Structures are given as C-alpha cells and as structure tokens.
Amino acid sequence: MNQVINAMRKRVCDANQSLPKHGLVKFTWGNVSEVNRELGVIVIKPSGVDYDELTPENMVVTDLDGNVLEGDLRPSSDLPTHVQLYKAWSEIGSVVHTHSTEAVGWAQAGRDIPFYGTTHADYFYGSIPCARSLTKDEVEVAYEKDTGLVIVEEFERRGLNPVEVPGIVVRNHGPFTWGKNPENAVYHSVVLEEVSKMNRFTEQINPRVEPAPQYILEKHYQRKHGPNAYYGQKK
Amino acid sequence: MNQVINAMRKRVCDANQSLPKHGLVKFTWGNVSEVNRELGVIVIKPSGVDYDELTPENMVVTDLDGNVLEGDLRPSSDLPTHVQLYKAWSEIGSVVHTHSTEAVGWAQAGRDIPFYGTTHADYFYGSIPCARSLTKDEVEVAYEKDTGLVIVEEFERRGLNPVEVPGIVVRNHGPFTWGKNPENAVYHSVVLEEVSKMNRFTEQINPRVEPAPQYILEKHYQRKHGPNAYYGQKK
Amino acid sequence: MNQVINAMRKRVCDANQSLPKHGLVKFTWGNVSEVNRELGVIVIKPSGVDYDELTPENMVVTDLDGNVLEGDLRPSSDLPTHVQLYKAWSEIGSVVHTHSTEAVGWAQAGRDIPFYGTTHADYFYGSIPCARSLTKDEVEVAYEKDTGLVIVEEFERRGLNPVEVPGIVVRNHGPFTWGKNPENAVYHSVVLEEVSKMNRFTEQINPRVEPAPQYILEKHYQRKHGPNAYYGQKK
Amino acid sequence: MNQVINAMRKRVCDANQSLPKHGLVKFTWGNVSEVNRELGVIVIKPSGVDYDELTPENMVVTDLDGNVLEGDLRPSSDLPTHVQLYKAWSEIGSVVHTHSTEAVGWAQAGRDIPFYGTTHADYFYGSIPCARSLTKDEVEVAYEKDTGLVIVEEFERRGLNPVEVPGIVVRNHGPFTWGKNPENAVYHSVVLEEVSKMNRFTEQINPRVEPAPQYILEKHYQRKHGPNAYYGQKK
C-alpha cells in the first residue's frame, strides 16, 4: 500500500508543479488531487504552499470523505469539491482546479464555451458548460462541498458524460477539469485554457460566428478517443 | 536601530526587484517603499535606477515627511504619494506603485474594476476604485503629494477600509497598492493586474455581465481574511 | 540516397522542434514534412510524439502516397493532407500544420485574413484565404485527405498561386503553410500567426478599416520576391 | 576617427540586438542606425542578417546620403528612410524601425495614438501621429526615401517637434522612433509599443474615453524633460 500511495504522492506533486509551467496559476492558486478508491485514499496539494516547495512527502493523504490520514499540513481548501466529484463519478481518477485567466474570463461572463473548432473537438465532446453560481445558502453552509454538488448537478441536468466532457467553468469562480490520472487532468486544463482564448479571439473577429458542424465534433473526438482511434502510437 | 533598518532595506530591495519578475514594470517604472513609524523612517527605491542595479545599500532612507536621512541618491519621485498614504492610514506598512499594463488600461478608461469573481474576492473586498484625475492646481502645485491626497479622499468619500481594499487605480495614471509589508503589497499589485485582465476578458465575452453576488464576496474574503479564516496553514 | 534522406530527416526534425520555440504549438499539436519527388519520399513527424523526444532517426519516411517505407512509428495523422498538397503543387517542398492560437481564431471565425499592411505584403501576395469547412461526407470518408483537396480546390477556385500565397486557414480547424523547404514553411507559419494577431488588433482599433492599397502589396512583395529583389544579402 | 566609428558600431550592434530582447521584432524585422554628422557617417544594421549573428564588425558604415563606405554587406533596405530623417532633423542621433505588433495595430488602423495617461506623457508630448500612406508614385519611384519624406512632411504639417514627439506610425506599415542615441531611440520604441497596448485596452474597457487633460501632459513631460526635471539622479 505504501508503494502505491508513494507513487500517487509523486504524480500529484509533479502535476501540481506543472501548473505554473503551463502558465495556469499565479502564487498558490490551483490544486491537483488523485484518488484510489480501492485503497480508500485521496492525495492532494497542501493549502497555501508554494509550488516550488512541494515534495511528494508534503502532499496530504485523506480518506474518501476528505479526513486527513497522513501529513501535518492542511489539505487544499478545495478538497471538499474534489471529494464530491470522486463520489459522483467513478470513472475519473484526478481533479484539477485553477484560476487560469482565459477560463476565468468565461466563468465570470457566465457563458458556456462554444464548440468552434477541432482543437476543442479533440478533447471535449461538445460545448464546455458553465455551471450556475451557488445560492446564498450553498455558499454559507458548505461552500466547497456545494461547489462539487453544483458541478455534478449541471452534468446530470444536461445529460453529460464526465469522461467525454472532462471540464467545466463555475460561474463567478473558475475552471475545474478531471481525467484518468493527474497528468491527463492537467492536460485538460491546458486545453480548456487554450480553447477559451481561441474562442475569445473568434468571437472578436466574427461576432456572428456559429458553432461548428456536429459531424466535425464527432469525427475529431472519435479519431482520438473512439474504438477505432488512430491518432498517436499504438499502445 | 541599524539592524531593523537594514532588514527594511533588504525587504524593500527584494520587493522592488520582484516587480519585473512579476511582469509589472518596464525599465524603472515602479517603486516599493516600507515604513516604520516607531523609528520614524521610510525606506524606498532610488529614482530612475535599474532594478538589477538595486542593492539594500543603495535604498534611500527618509523621515516620515520624506526628507532624506541616509543615502546619496534621490528617492523615487513618487515618494510624496507614499508619504501621504502612510500618514492617513496607520494600518499599512508598505506601498507599491507601477504602470502595469492591464491596470493602466482601467485607470486610463476611468473606470472602477468591478467585482466579477472569486479571484478578486480573495483579496479585495468589493470593486477596486478608480480615483478622479487631479485638478490643474493639484497637478501644478504639489503633484505627487496631491496624488496621495486624492487617493485618501476617494477612500473617505466611499467609506472604504484600506486594509479590506488594498489598492486603487488613479485616473489617467495607474495603480497603487499597499499591504502590511513589501511582499504583501507587491502581492496585491499582482492580483490587481490579474483581475484587471480577467475582467477585460469577461466584458469582452459578455458585454452585459453583472457584478457577482455580494454573498460570494463575503464568503471568499472571509475565508482568507476573517476571524475564522481556513485557507493556508495555521500560523 | 541515404545521405539525402538523412539530411531530410535532420531538417524535418529541426523544423518540428522549432514549432514550440516559436510559440506555435502546445503538446504535440503540429507537424512538419518535407518531400523529395525524385526519390519518391516524404519525411514527416511521428504521430503524438513530444517535440523534445524527436530525433532525425525517429522521423517517418513514406512514399509519395503516404505509405510508410522506414520507421516503426505511425506518421502524423495529418499526412494525407500533406500528400494532397505535394501532389497538386510541384513547386512546394515542405508543409506545416499547427493549431497556433491567433490563426485558429480566424479559422474558427470563418474569415479570410485581410491585407492591411507591409508585414503581410512581405510574404503573402494578397489576403490569406479561409477554406470552407468540409462536408459531412468529406469528413466521414477520408477526412485528412479531403482537407488537402479542399485547400487545393480553394486555390484553384480563386486562381491563387501557392508560391505567392504560402498558407491558408481551414474553417473550424486551423492553419496550413508551405514553402520551398521546412525552415521556409515554418517561417510562413510564424508570419501567418503574427499577421493574424496584428489584424485582430487593427480591427479592434478601427472597426471600419479598409484593406491597404494594392500598389503597396505589389511593392513589398516584389522587393523581397521579385526578379529585382533587393532585401537581404546577395545569394 | 576609427575609435569614434568603432564606438558607434558597438552601440548600433548592441541596440539592434536589444530589439528581440524587448520583444519588438521577429526574425530580422527591425533595424537601428546612428549618425555622426561631423564625421559624415551613418552606421546601420546589415539587411536580412539575424540579430544573433550581428557583431560591431559587420555593421555597415555609409555616408550621409547612404552610400556604403565600409563593409561587404548591404545596409538595411530601410536606410533611405533613416537618411531623410537625419537630413531633416539635426537634433536626432539615432533612428529605429520595427514591425512591433501593437504599434502596427495602430499603423494598420490608420489612427493617431491618443494621449490617455502619464506613461505616454513621460516620453511623448502629445498624441503619437499616424502618417498617411504613400501614394502610388511615391511607392514606385523611391519607396524607402519617400517614407522618410512623408514622416517629415507629417511633422511639418502638424508643427511637431521631433525631440518632443520621438516617434510615429506610418499607415499600413509600422512604427519609427528616434532619439539622441541608439539606446534612447530603442527606449522610445519600447514606450510606443507599450502605450499602443495600454491604449488598445483602454478603448476596449471604455469605448467613449476622452484624451487626458493637457495639464497632465505638461506636468509629466516637464518633470522628466523640462529645465527643472526632477526624475532620476542628477547627471
């Protein structure tokens, strides 16, 4: 068990440290976690610690409800959001939260990120949703937990599959992404940020632009993720 | 006393040198100072000197009215602005002025920076004010001093607390921020610049966007700064 | 023959690795190829491999129809697009495809990139076209090949010379450029990206801007590319 | 004489190499020259040579009409523009031309860069003019020389002093700046680019913004450049 958790600590530490390298965070404004449901553990960044001070050893280990099992440091204050996503979606292995600038632009604007092209279609099967703002009660009672519940509610309401749409922006807040492992979840954060920027440019250049055809979405998503995927090397 | 001032010199030098690292300045376009009211001294960047030529030794030490006590170099020409802020607000220990691009955008536009999301709420309790332009008389008689007086006037007129709103943009000029120490004051300059950019994007993406709910402002500000703050590690 | 192909492998590897240095790609989102019609070979980046793992040795060598001749790795999935351009245009020796942000902005907006100034005129003789989106049939039957055919169709329909206009954006997708060799083709990708950005700024600053005069296009293009070119050093 | 020219070669080489460091150029898209009217020489970058291949030795030395005196390489093709500015304005010692992105945005938009704030006022005494496009005849007969004549004409028509307004954008082309020496002229290119960006942001944030008051222009320009200047250290 220790070896498995140590490997998680390493992956989570590396993924957190990749956030500033990808230009997704300032100061301590983002966190990555990984879950192992069989062992009943989550590994997450400690709260408010600089990325260059992170080590596999100072990652925080909690149970599946977010109770600290190992570590002297407090876990990221966003841990209850991660916990709700892991509980709702057994298919995902890692969650990322940042305040990356372009995605926050859409979150603050309160708009879904439309499907305009193939960069988007390669990783997100359809528009990237913007979840509603939390209510006053939700904010005051259990803010971070309720953020997770609102995300899950949004996916249920729209009938979305979190594997096919691995991210969301929460209104007045910012982006959350997920994936099968920390590297994959961070990858989706980079894509979400890049597509947010491309789409801002697109609407600036053509304010009357329409979403791209559905069959392009289908093709690009399937050539990377479908049963007959042919992008990249055989595994 | 020498040891305390030497520590101030070091902190002020480090904070000034962090400005180009954070992308907040070009050439010599920004300055940081620190005050110690008990010793009756202010330490500030010398005027027009490149950041990579700064050392703790060439920082300028003045009294609380801005008269030079130690150092052969002239202090930053903005010193009289810093002096007025220190006189008005006993709670602050450091002041920063830059011409950072995004914040200048709002200053030149003559607009308050609206509260649109949690990145903002984590550090600024409400919209970031834009102070009026100085009058012809104010500019001609005591320009830099009057800049400080106009900032203080704006806070008084709006009933704002400089600890809760640690920054402002001055119309047709640029941003000023402050904090308990130089590192903290620079931090607020970085946040102001980032929020200025996020909000420009937000209004571009949704020209009819409304400010975020007040209860989100309350929650995010208090979870970092209130009596029951739970972000980061216990001190 | 080996020496010639080895030199191609080196040039193609170098050109692919220059894409992230020029800020044109994230992850593995771009590819460069070179053709030698006498030897009947194309050399291209392997699919999905990181740029810093590329070596001349792991480039993929195919015939002029895109059938792999040398190498264990799959070629870039965009190879059939490159193949069509090489078949249609005997004047070009290299093709580049990226998802560079500014050019994708125009591709997603579905607009030609207008001729507004001399930066553009130095390398592209007239507006840079935006090709139509592929139809459902084209996408489903032979997507990458049909992308190449649509590009060639667009040039034929408009009567454009691919040597004089060394690039295009494909609607809902992104930019393709070409040139006499890999370095030259990448150069055109950098120009296309930069002009895309300049023109976005231009329309933002003056929404009613008109294209620049035709005689400026003529002069600037000819002083670099005409029979009496006088830019640069004598070759 | 050799020592003086060698010092010019060094300054011109350094200033040219600073252009990519300031983010003002891509590839070879910019050039700096210096004049010495007593010696009757101009030193300028060779045409089309990469910045990292420049040395003091490969700078080109010409007479005041642009005829090459020393050097095997062709001078920058923009030399005739520099020559005209040196002939018209005896107060300037160096000229810079680039295609920097933000300034080109205004050049292509065909608009003067308005005076909106103090960053601008510190270096440019009033709005930065946009010169008209050249006519067909001017372009075809003596393009680069006529570019210089159009710039001088614009200053005369408006009654501007090139020392007080050390730069311009030429419609459909890009920025030219000048100064007392190469370092100073490059400095003005950086300011022009930064102000171009700030002003784009400003008009985006407030489309109805008005220019800043004239007395702020007066104050800021004079505190750096007037007889009683008090910015920086005593010389």
Side-chain angles (χ1 to χ4, degrees), chain B residues 28 47 74 101 134 143-144, chain D residues 194 215 220 223 230-232:
Chain B
T28 61
S47 182
R74 287 179 181 174
T101 319
L134 276 64
Y143 176 57
E144 291 83 3
Chain D
E194 181 69 4
Y215 56 83
H220 260 264
R223 81 170 187 166
Y230 57 92
Y231 182 92

Side-chain angles (χ1 to χ4, degrees), chain D residues 85 89 92 94-95 151 155 162 165-168 176-179 184-185 188:
Chain D
L85 301 186
W89 300 331
I92 69 171
S94 174
V95 170
I151 292 172
F155 268 66
V165 180
I168 196 169
F176 291 80
T177 65
W178 44 84
N184 183 243
H188 292 147

Side-chain angles (χ1 to χ4, degrees), chain B residues 12-25 32 51 182-183 186-187 190:
Chain B
V12 171
C13 179
D14 286 351
N16 274 288
Q17 292 187 318
S18 77
L19 296 179
K21 289 175 196 159
H22 288 299
L24 296 172
V25 295
V32 185
Y51 295 102
E183 185 183 5
V186 170
Y187 196 109
V190 175

Side-chain angles (χ1 to χ4, degrees), chain D residues 29-233:
Chain D
W29 302 356
N31 43 74
V32 185
S33 72
E34 181 177 349
V35 71
N36 184 317
R37 291 181 183 79
E38 293 174 18
L39 296 181
V41 298
I42 294 170
V43 178
I44 193 165
K45 178 183 180 295
S47 181
V49 177
D50 284 347
Y51 296 101
D52 54 9
E53 292 173 13
L54 298 182
T55 63
E57 290 71 32
N58 63 21
M59 296 296 105
V60 183
V61 182
T62 78
D63 66 19
L64 296 183
D65 292 313
N67 302 303
V68 176
L69 299 175
E70 299 177 15
D72 301 326
L73 298 172
R74 288 178 177 174
S76 165
S77 59
D78 297 303
L79 172 60
T81 311
H82 297 231
V83 164
Q84 293 309 312
L85 301 186
Y86 290 137
K87 289 195 173 183
W89 300 331
S90 62
E91 313 92 319
I92 69 171
S94 174
V95 170
V96 178
H97 172 50
T98 76
H99 286 232
S100 63
T101 319
E102 296 278 352
V104 166
W106 289 86
Q108 294 192 155
R111 285 188 55 198
D112 291 3
I113 300 168
F115 162 54
Y116 288 142
T118 62
T119 316
H120 182 131
D122 279 339
Y123 302 97
F124 288 85
Y125 188 62
S127 67
I128 302 167
C130 178
R132 67 172 171 82
S133 262
L134 277 64
T135 65
K136 190 159 188 291
D137 270 6
E138 287 167 343
V139 163
E140 287 172 359
V141 174
Y143 176 57
E144 291 83 4
K145 176 182 172 186
D146 289 340
T147 299
L149 292 176
V150 163
I151 292 172
V152 172
E153 169 203 293
E154 191 70 40
F155 268 66
E156 286 177 358
R157 195 172 63 76
R158 301 191 189 208
L160 296 177
N161 177 342
V163 172
E164 292 177 348
V165 180
I168 196 169
V169 291
V170 176
R171 186 157 191 174
N172 300 131
H173 190 160
F176 291 80
T177 65
W178 44 84
K180 60 190 173 196
N181 56 46
E183 186 183 5
N184 183 243
V186 170
Y187 196 108
H188 292 147
S189 281
V190 175
V191 174
L192 197 161
E193 180 70 1
E194 181 69 4
V195 169
S196 295
K197 188 196 282 191
M198 287 173 168
N199 287 9
R200 181 169 63 85
F201 292 175
T202 296
E203 297 191 350
Q204 181 178 358
I205 294 166
N206 181 0
R208 291 177 304 280
V209 64
E210 298 286 334
Q214 178 70 18
Y215 56 83
I216 290 182
L217 177 62
E218 197 69 36
K219 173 68 181 183
H220 260 264
Y221 190 77
Q222 297 302 335
R223 81 170 187 166
K224 284 219 173 181
H225 307 281
N228 299 311
Y230 57 92
Y231 182 92
Q233 304 302 323

